[in-house]
Amino acid sequence: MASPGPKSPEQSEKSKKYDRQLRLWGDHGQSALESCHICLINATGLGTEILKSLVLPGIGGFTIVDGKKITEEDIGANFFLDIDSIGKPRAQVSTQLLLELNPEVKGDYVDEPIEQLLQNNPNFFKNFTVVVAASLPERMLIALSDLLWEADIPFIATRSYGLIGSARLQIKEHTIIETHPDTQNPDLRLDQPFPVLVKHLEDVDLTKMDLKDHTHVPYVVPLYQALQEWKSSHNGDLPKNYKEKEEFRNLLRKGIKMNEDGVQEYEENFEEALKAVNFAIAPTVVPNNVKEILNDYNCINLTSKSKPFWIMAKAVRDFVDNEGEGLLPLRGSLPDMTADSQRYIALQQVYLQEAARCSEIVHRRVRQLLHQLGQPVDAISEADTKLFCKHASSLGVVRGRKISDEYDTKLINTSLLAQGVENSESLIIYYVMFRGIDRFYAEYNHYPGEFGDEHDIVKLKGSIAKLLSEWGCGPLAKDDYIHEIYRYGGAELHSVSAFLGGCVAHEVIKLVTGQYKPVNNTFIYDAITTNTETIDITNLHGIF
Amino acid sequence: MGSCNILVIGAGGLGCELLKNLALMGFQKIHVIDMDVIDLSNLNRQFLFRRADIGSSKAEVAAKFINSRIPGCNVVPHFKKIQDYDEDFYRQFHVVVCGLDSIVARRWMNGMLISMLQYDDDGELEQTSLIPMVDGGTEGFKGNARVILPGISACVECTLDLFPPQVTYPLCTIANTPRLPEHCIEYVKMIQWNKENPFECPIDGDDPNHINWIYEKAQERANQFNILGLSYRLVQGVVKNIIPAVASTNAVIAATCTTEVFKLATSCCLPLNNYMVFNDVDGIYTYSYEAEKKPDCIVCSNKPKTYFVDNGSIKLKQFIEDLCESKDYQMKNPGVTTSIDGKNRTLYMSLVKSIEEKTRDNLNKTFDELGLKSGSQLFIADVTNPNTIILELKYTQTSEMVTD
Ligand SMILES: [Zn+2]
C-alpha cells in the first residue's frame, strides 16, 4: 500500500441517526439530553405531542403520570393511542406507543390520578430533570408549582384549548453558556489591542507591497493602521458619530493602491475594511447583560454549593478586574475575510493564542475558587472554562417566578392585566380567559360548554367578572371571547396541540441542554390570527 | 371535511407531521407524493418510520402507518416525483400542502397550480379552478408557513427574494487562498475529484467511501495550509448541503400549515394572510405579515413579462446567466426558444444532449446575430416551472443607435 491517508473517523450509528440535530446542539448538548428524565402529567393529545418531539431526538427517559382510562374522544385527538385501546389506562398505552419511536429511550408510567400521587408521594416528583403538565386543574397546578419551586426543578404547565393555547415556564434560575445569538459582532479588539496583536499588525508595511500582496492582506491590518493614524490626530479617540466615521472611511480609502493613471484599484480587502467600520470600530466593552451577571449576588457570594456557572462567572469577573484590564476574555475567533491563506492563518493564530492565554488565566482562578469553596478542583474542566470564556459576551441567566404567585393579588401585575383586557391587539385577554375557565372548572367540575349547556355562558361570565374585580380591573367590554371559549367546550384541536407540543418540547430541550434562551415566562398562542405573545404576568415590584 | 381531498407533497420531516395532523383533524381523503426512500438520518424526526423501514418508500410507509393507526382515514401514496403527474392529476384536489426541502419543487408546484387557473370571458377568475397551496419550510429552529391563493395572493415566485442564495465560495479562493475548512472541502469536491476520479463516477454523498476520500484529501489540504476545524461532520454537511433539522420545529410548522388547511376547508375563520415566520432560539418568536403580490410576477401576473436590455448586442450566454443569477428569475438550466417569421427556433437547450450540441454555438452570438429584435418573444423552459415563460424583449436604447 502507498502512503495511507489520515484515517477517516468511523461514524457511529447513533451519530448518523442524530446527525441533523447534532449540527445544532453538538455532542455535548446531546449527552445532556440523553441523561435527562422528563415527567409528563396527563397523556393528552398535547402531552404526547410534547413527548414525541423529545423521544425522537433521544432524551434519556420519561415517566407518564395519568390515572385516566382511554375514551373514544381521547383517541380522536391523540396519535399515541390506538383504536383497540379504549378502556385501557391512558398512561400505559401512550407510553408503549411513544417508546416505539426510539429504542434508545426508556419510558415508564404511573397509572394513578395526579391528585392522589401528589398527596401520597410528593417526593416522587423530585426525581425528574423537568416536569411538564398538560391541562392541569388549578388546585393541583398551585400545589405542584410550590412543590417544584421548593425542589428547584423546572416545571412547565401547558394547555391546548380550542384554537388557543398557552405554556407557562416556572424556573427558579436558569443559566446559559451557549445562547446561540443570531448575529454577533466579531471580537477584534482594535480599540484596545493586546500586545501580540499590536506587534503583528504594526509589522506589516502596506506601502512596500505590490498590488497582489496588497489586496491579500486581511482587512484588519489596514483598518488598524488607519485607526492609529486617526487616534494620533484625535486625542486617542475613536471615530464616534456618523460624520467622523465618514471622515475615517476617507482616511482608510487613502490606503488603496493607485494604478499608473492615478486611479484607485479595486481592492476587496479594503472594501471589507470600509464595511467593517460600522461594527469593528466600536469601543470594546463588557455588554450590560453580562455586567449584570458578573455583578449578580450569586456570582459575588460563592458558597460550597455554588454551581459551576457561577464559579466560572466569578473567575471571569476577577479576570476582568485584573489581567483583563476591564475587558472579557478574548473570544478568539476571526471571521473569514479576503486574504491569502498564510496571512489569514497567522492572524487567526494571534487571536486564538491570546484567547487560550485568557482562558488559562481564568481557569487558574477557577481552580483557586474551587479549592477555597471546598469543591473538588477538577469539578470544572479546562474545556468547560474554555467554552465559558468563548461565550463570555453572550451568557444568559433567566430568573423566573413561581406560578402560584399569580394567584396572589399582591403579586400579580394587575395593571398589565387591565391594559391587556383593553388592548384588542394583545393576547393577554386569553390569559384572563384561561384563569376564568379554571375558576369555572373549580366551581362546576366541567369545562364551559363541554355538555352544550348554554347556562355555562352566564356562569363563565360570572367567573371572569369575579376575577377581574379581584384584580381591580374593569369588566370586559364585549362578550365575544366568552362565546368563543364556550364554543370550544374544552375540546383540544389537534393542530393547536401539535403547535404547542413542538414549542414546549423545544423549551424542555433548552432547559436540559443549557443552550438557547427559554421563554420567560408565559407564552400564549392564538391559532385564529396565527399570533403568539410572551408575557410575564407577575408583578416585578413584588420581589425586587 | 370527509369529502375534502387533500394532497400532501413530501413525506419527510414536515410530511409525516402533516399526515398525522390532517388525519387527526378528520380529513379522510389524503394523497401523498414523495420520491425519496427512508434513510437512517431521518429517524430523529420522521416519526412514521422505523429502523426496519430504511430503504423503503417514504410515501408508502407513511401512508400505511396512518391508515392503520387512524381508522377511516385513507392515505394514498405516490412513490413518484411531482413532475411525473400533470394537471389532470392535480385537478382532483381541494387543497395542496407542501412540506418540501427543495425550492425547485416548490416553485414547480406553484407554477402548476397557477397554470390551472381558468378565467371566464370577462377575465374574471373562475373560483372552481383555484386550488389553495399551503406551504411550510424549516431550517434548524427557524421556520415559515404561508397560504397561497393562486392568482389572488403572492405566489412563490412573487417572493423569490425570500430564499437566501446558497453560500458559494469564489473559485480563486478555493484554488489559491483557502482559509476555512469549507474551502478545502470545496476544492476536493470541485477540482481534485474530477482530476483524480478516484471511483470513476460523480460524487455520491450517500456513499461513505466517497465521503471518506473527500475527508482525507480535504484534511491533507487543510494541513498543508494550517487550516483548523475540519471534521468529518463538516465534510458531510458541505458535500451533501445538509440543512439541520429537529423534530420540534417541524412539528410547529406542520401544525401551522394544518390549521390553515382546516380554516380553508371549514371556513371557520379567515386563513393566514399570508406569511408567518417562526424562530425559537431566543424565547419563541413569531411574526405574520402579508407578502405582496408582484404586479409583474413572471408566473402569476397573467401578463407577458418584458425583458429590458440596452440593445441587441447582448450575447445569448449573458442573457442565460442573468436568468440564473438575477434574484427575480433564479432559474436552473433555462432552455430558450423563439419564433422568427412564424417559425419556432430553439436558441439553446442544455437538458437534451443532442440539442445542446447543436445549439451550443448560439451562446456566443448576440441577439442581433440571432435575428432577435425589440418586441421579439422568447419562450423560456426551466425545471422551476412546469410551463413555458414568455419574455418580451425591449431594447431601451433608441433604434438609430442599432445599425441594421
Ligand atoms: Zn407570483
Side-chain angles (χ1 to χ4, degrees):
Chain A
M1 251 182 30
S3 61
K7 191 84 192 83
S8 302
E10 206 53 54
Q11 267 203 311
S12 70
E13 284 281 290
K14 208 161 81 178
S15 71
K16 279 185 206 158
K17 181 165 96 176
Y18 294 137
D19 178 82
R20 300 302 184 267
Q21 67 200 41
L22 292 174
R23 292 170 190 276
L24 294 163
W25 52 64
D27 296 308
H28 58 301
Q30 185 66 26
S31 79
L33 206 57
E34 286 170 14
S35 49
C36 82
H37 195 147
I38 307 298
C39 173
L40 170 71
I41 298 165
N42 292 335
T44 59
L46 170 55
T48 56
E49 284 302 305
I50 297 166
L51 278 187
K52 171 179 116 267
S53 293
L54 290 171
V55 170
L56 286 166
I59 51 168
F62 67 85
T63 300
I64 293 179
V65 177
D66 192 330
K68 291 220 169 70
K69 300 288 176 275
I70 297 166
T71 65
E72 208 174 325
E73 202 189 335
D74 284 335
I75 289 170
N78 195 329
F79 194 70
F80 298 93
L81 302 175
D82 56 5
I83 190 72
D84 305 325
S85 61
I86 294 180
K88 290 186 193 163
R90 198 160 72 170
Q92 179 202 343
V93 175
S94 56
T95 300
Q96 279 163 1
L97 294 186
L98 280 162
L99 282 175
E100 285 179 5
L101 297 179
N102 192 341
E104 259 130 337
V105 177
K106 295 187 179 59
D108 56 14
Y109 63 92
V110 179
D111 175 21
E112 210 179 305
I114 167 81
E115 49 269 56
Q116 202 174 302
L117 197 57
L118 256 176
Q119 204 160 45
N120 300 341
N121 186 11
N123 283 334
F124 168 85
F125 295 99
K126 297 181 182 166
N127 297 316
F128 302 103
T129 324
V130 181
V131 176
V132 181
S135 316
L136 198 61
E138 202 169 83
R139 204 161 41 85
M140 270 87 76
L141 178 70
I142 295 172
L144 202 58
S145 156
D146 285 330
L147 179 95
L148 293 170
W149 184 264
E150 245 5 272
D152 198 9
I153 291 170
F155 174 43
I156 305 179
T158 180
R159 71 200 305 170
S160 166
Y161 201 103
L163 284 160
I164 313 298
S166 74
R168 165 68 157 92
L169 270 71
Q170 171 178 295
I171 342 163
K172 215 174 202 173
E173 177 192 281
H174 179 67
T175 54
I176 313 148
I177 298 171
E178 293 164 272
T179 52
H180 297 270
D182 266 347
T183 52
Q184 206 176 20
N185 282 340
D187 187 13
L188 297 176
R189 306 277 165 110
L190 296 186
D191 59 325
Q192 298 183 61
F194 44 93
V196 184
L197 182 64
V198 173
K199 168 129 183 37
H200 185 89
L201 296 176
E202 286 182 352
D203 277 356
V204 186
D205 188 350
L206 284 162
T207 58
K208 294 217 175 88
M209 287 180 184
D210 63 14
L211 181 63
K212 184 164 176 277
D213 278 347
H214 201 260
T215 54
H216 283 91
V217 174
Y219 77 69
V220 171
V221 177
L223 194 61
Y224 171 82
Q225 295 188 355
L227 192 63
Q228 296 321 105
E229 195 180 331
W230 172 276
K231 279 162 87 174
S232 69
S233 60
H234 289 81
N235 300 321
D237 289 340
L238 301 178
K240 287 185 288 283
N241 46 39
Y242 176 79
K243 187 170 155 275
E244 288 190 359
K245 283 193 176 170
E246 263 313 298
E247 284 169 28
F248 176 69
R249 279 195 194 93
N250 286 333
L251 178 70
L252 193 55
R253 276 191 195 98
K254 285 193 192 134
I256 301 175
K257 264 210 182 304
M258 306 275 191
N259 64 13
E260 307 94 78
D261 305 329
V263 180
Q264 280 190 339
E265 301 278 1
Y266 178 81
E267 297 195 276
E268 205 159 342
N269 51 345
F270 274 82
E271 295 302 316
E272 290 173 358
L274 289 164
K275 277 191 202 124
V277 170
N278 281 331
F279 57 84
I281 294 300
T284 308
V285 292
V286 181
N288 282 333
N289 63 315
V290 176
K291 247 184 228 158
E292 267 175 48
I293 293 170
L294 301 186
N295 290 329
D296 194 283
Y297 180 87
N298 284 349
C299 179
I300 297 168
N301 303 287
L302 294 181
T303 69
S304 59
K305 292 198 180 79
S306 285
K307 288 191 267 183
F309 180 91
W310 290 117
I311 297 170
M312 289 188 282
K314 177 67 163 67
V316 165
R317 183 191 153 95
D318 293 342
F319 172 89
V320 173
D321 290 345
N322 295 285
E323 302 89 343
E325 296 174 21
L327 300 181
L328 291 171
L330 184 75
R331 198 182 302 150
S333 51
L334 183 68
D336 187 34
M337 54 189 71
T338 300
D340 58 47
S341 309
Q342 189 262 327
R343 285 195 175 89
Y344 176 83
I345 301 292
L347 183 61
Q348 188 186 42
Q349 281 298 329
V350 168
Y351 280 101
L352 261 178
Q353 279 163 17
E354 175 68 8
R357 197 185 68 85
C358 293
S359 100
E360 266 165 42
I361 298 170
V362 174
H363 192 63
R364 267 203 299 277
R365 292 188 170 277
V366 165
R367 290 175 70 94
Q368 266 169 20
L369 289 168
L370 286 167
H371 180 75
Q372 286 164 16
L373 296 167
Q375 295 196 21
V377 282
D378 53 359
I380 296 169
S381 71
E382 194 158 358
D384 293 336
T385 306
K386 207 170 170 187
L387 187 78
F388 192 92
C389 291
K390 189 173 176 199
H391 298 284
S393 61
S394 53
L395 300 169
V397 171
V398 178
R399 288 233 164 72
R401 298 291 301 276
K402 198 159 68 158
I403 293 172
S404 56
D405 285 355
E406 292 170 28
Y407 294 82
D408 182 333
T409 46
K410 288 190 294 299
L411 297 178
I412 193 162
N413 189 340
T414 48
S415 66
L416 187 64
L417 284 167
Q419 280 166 34
V421 169
E422 275 159 36
N423 176 2
S424 60
E425 300 279 293
S426 168
L427 300 185
I428 290 179
I429 185 69
Y430 289 116
Y431 176 84
V432 177
M433 290 296 133
F434 282 143
R435 290 291 301 270
I437 292 166
D438 284 342
R439 183 65 71 90
F440 181 103
Y441 188 90
E443 205 166 331
Y444 306 106
N445 213 23
H446 70 272
Y447 288 109
E450 193 177 348
F451 305 113
D453 180 358
E454 287 193 10
H455 294 100
D456 285 356
I457 297 176
V458 181
K459 291 180 187 163
L460 178 61
K461 252 170 94 171
S463 302
I464 289 173
K466 257 186 270 171
L467 265 174
L468 288 170
S469 88
E470 282 168 27
W471 293 332
C473 299
L476 288 183
K478 288 183 296 184
D479 288 348
D480 301 19
Y481 292 106
I482 307 263
H483 287 276
E484 189 186 320
I485 296 296
Y486 169 79
R487 265 200 312 277
Y488 297 152
E492 251 188 74
L493 198 65
H494 185 75
S495 63
V496 174
S497 298
F499 182 100
L500 283 159
C503 290
V504 172
H506 188 49
E507 293 307 303
V508 172
I509 290 170
K510 290 174 183 177
L511 297 176
V512 168
T513 58
Q515 299 185 39
Y516 320 101
K517 270 196 206 147
V519 156
N520 193 16
N521 51 36
T522 303
F523 172 74
I524 302 174
Y525 169 52
D526 171 11
I528 304 168
T529 58
T530 324
N531 273 324
T532 65
E533 192 172 329
T534 300
I535 52 170
D536 179 0
I537 214 76
T538 55
N539 195 347
L540 290 171
H541 307 294
I543 198 157
F544 289 108
Chain B
M1 291 213 304
S3 63
C4 191
N5 205 3
I6 311 275
L7 174 65
V8 174
I9 299 178
L14 286 168
C16 285
E17 293 279 348
L18 287 167
L19 291 170
K20 171 208 64 162
N21 294 350
L22 290 166
L24 281 176
M25 297 288 277
F27 292 96
Q28 295 182 319
K29 291 165 75 179
I30 305 170
H31 286 240
V32 59
I33 306 185
D34 198 311
M35 59 183 275
D36 274 351
V37 294
I38 297 158
D39 178 76
L40 176 57
S41 67
N42 300 146
L43 302 186
N44 79 327
R45 60 198 187 285
Q46 302 179 13
F47 63 95
L48 301 175
F49 312 142
R50 304 287 174 261
R51 192 162 281 261
D53 298 322
I54 290 171
S56 305
S57 150
K58 287 187 176 180
E60 285 166 7
V61 175
K64 201 170 147 205
F65 196 114
I66 296 284
N67 292 343
S68 69
R69 179 65 59 89
I70 299 171
C73 185
N74 180 26
V75 181
V76 180
H78 302 267
F79 183 23
K80 298 263 195 206
K81 293 201 287 268
I82 51 172
Q83 291 86 351
D84 293 339
Y85 289 110
D86 60 15
E87 58 175 275
D88 289 336
F89 172 78
Y90 291 112
R91 197 174 288 124
Q92 63 179 306
F93 300 104
H94 298 100
V95 184
V96 172
V97 202
C98 295
L100 289 160
D101 53 10
S102 149
I103 294 165
V104 170
R106 212 181 248 129
R107 290 171 70 183
W108 190 91
M109 199 59 231
N110 175 70
M112 170 56 79
L113 293 180
I114 285 162
S115 72
M116 287 161 64
L117 293 174
Q118 284 165 10
Y119 294 85
D120 66 16
D121 297 341
D122 303 326
E124 292 290 315
L125 178 66
E126 293 201 29
Q127 291 296 327
T128 50
S129 69
L130 185 152
I131 303 173
M133 170 164 152
V134 179
D135 177 47
T138 68
E139 178 176 351
F141 304 116
K142 296 184 186 129
N144 67 274
R146 66 189 297 182
V147 175
I148 295 168
L149 303 174
I152 297 174
S153 60
C155 81
V156 174
E157 303 288 326
C158 291
T159 56
L160 260 195
D161 51 350
L162 291 176
F163 299 113
Q166 217 187 309
V167 183
T168 52
Y169 305 101
L171 200 63
C172 63
T173 300
I174 294 169
N176 305 320
T177 59
R179 300 175 295 270
L180 303 180
E182 286 87 344
H183 296 156
C184 303
I185 302 165
E186 289 288 352
Y187 177 82
V188 179
K189 193 178 126 187
M190 294 169 64
I191 297 166
Q192 210 167 349
W193 183 277
N194 296 332
K195 220 161 47 187
E196 300 190 19
N197 202 3
F199 298 91
E200 291 170 349
C201 65
I203 297 173
D204 174 2
D206 293 321
D207 186 334
N209 292 319
H210 292 195
I211 298 286
N212 279 345
W213 192 86
I214 298 171
Y215 171 73
E216 284 168 16
K217 298 296 170 190
Q219 187 65 63
E220 278 171 24
R221 189 163 169 86
N223 291 345
Q224 183 193 334
F225 288 95
N226 294 314
I227 292 169
L228 301 172
L230 190 104
S231 69
Y232 193 81
R233 191 175 287 158
L234 185 70
V235 171
Q236 268 188 317
V238 172
V239 173
K240 296 170 73 177
N241 189 26
I242 289 175
I243 298 164
V246 282
S248 59
T249 315
N250 282 323
V252 169
I253 295 303
T256 308
C257 292
T258 308
T259 302
E260 295 312 315
V261 176
F262 178 75
K263 289 178 190 171
L264 289 163
T266 62
S267 306
C268 71
C269 49
L270 290 172
L272 169 67
N273 185 22
N274 49 36
Y275 205 105
M276 184 208 70
V277 292
F278 172 88
N279 183 341
D280 61 1
V281 168
D282 181 356
I284 304 173
Y285 169 86
T286 61
Y287 178 61
S288 306
Y289 68 98
E290 183 179 350
E292 279 180 43
K293 195 166 185 290
K294 239 164 116 182
D296 62 343
C297 171
I298 45 169
V299 175
C300 77
S301 70
N302 215 4
K303 276 182 228 141
K305 172 114 175 163
T306 313
Y307 187 88
F308 293 97
V309 274
D310 291 348
N311 53 47
S313 68
I314 177 178
K315 283 184 183 164
L316 183 63
K317 190 169 71 181
Q318 294 169 298
F319 169 69
I320 287 175
E321 274 168 14
D322 185 49
L323 292 182
C324 296
E325 281 160 19
S326 125
K327 76 176 173 28
D328 286 352
Y329 299 104
Q330 297 187 33
M331 293 186 180
K332 301 294 162 195
N333 45 17
V336 185
T337 47
T338 187
S339 165
I340 293 174
D341 303 328
K343 269 174 67 185
N344 277 336
R345 235 186 96 197
T346 301
L347 299 178
Y348 184 69
M349 191 165 288
S350 65
L351 286 181
V352 184
K353 196 163 175 267
S354 58
I355 305 180
E356 200 280 332
E357 282 164 6
K358 258 185 250 165
T359 55
R360 194 182 296 161
D361 289 345
N362 286 341
L363 286 175
N364 279 315
K365 290 186 184 156
T366 64
F367 279 3
D368 288 337
E369 286 164 346
L370 291 165
L372 297 168
K373 297 189 179 70
S374 192
S376 294
Q377 286 191 332
L378 294 171
F379 309 107
I380 320 289
D382 190 62
V383 286
T384 55
N385 200 302
N387 303 293
T388 303
I389 286 159
I390 305 171
L391 293 179
E392 192 173 298
L393 281 183
K394 178 127 178 113
Y395 294 169
T396 50
Q397 287 179 1
T398 46
S399 53
E400 63 262 22
M401 293 187 67
V402 184
T403 47
D404 236 6

